[in-house]
Amino acid sequence: MPLHEWTYPLSERPSTIDDSDGKRTYATPEPQTELTTWVFDEGTFVPSAKLVGDRRYSIISDYLGTPIQALDSKGEIIFFSLPYFSLLHLLISKARFIFAT
């Protein structure tokens, strides 16, 4: 199951319009720069991949579904986490690979 996200400056936010049925839409399409797609294991909230433009990342999760590693398309580790140390949570990130914790 994919989930898409993107950001843009608030100044570029399109204005909204309401039709006669009360449905609210944007007057123009939202700008989509640096589109990010997250891919999840089917029927779960466990991420398995992240796609950003032409960059691809594989995500390795533990048995609880917690991401513990991310690898780029060359197989290099760009994210590494040891979530089982409550006070010592190691986090190494080379490409601003962010997971909400």
Side-chain angles (χ1 to χ4, degrees), residues 5-101:
E5 67 179 68
W6 61 92
T7 60
Y8 52 85
L10 188 56
S11 61
E12 294 180 21
R13 182 179 182 185
S15 60
T16 58
I17 54 173
D18 296 328
D19 65 12
S20 59
D21 296 329
K23 181 179 177 187
R24 180 168 288 175
T25 58
Y26 286 119
T28 58
E30 287 185 279
Q32 295 182 9
T33 58
E34 197 69 26
L35 178 67
T36 299
T37 301
W38 292 89
V39 180
F40 295 88
D41 289 343
E42 187 173 346
T44 72
F45 295 107
V46 178
S48 59
K50 180 180 180 183
L51 316 172
V52 182
D54 62 346
R55 299 183 310 271
R56 310 286 187 253
Y57 304 99
S58 297
I59 301 170
I60 313 282
S61 298
D62 65 10
Y63 68 98
L64 295 173
T66 304
I68 56 172
Q69 278 188 348
L71 298 97
D72 64 12
S73 58
K74 297 175 186 174
E76 294 182 21
I77 296 174
I78 61 161
F79 172 85
F80 179 76
S81 175
L82 297 173
Y84 303 110
F85 295 96
S86 59
L87 296 176
L88 175 64
H89 186 94
L90 264 179
L91 183 66
I92 300 167
S93 180
K94 291 183 185 175
R96 291 184 38 203
F97 200 89
I98 305 299
F99 290 108
T101 55

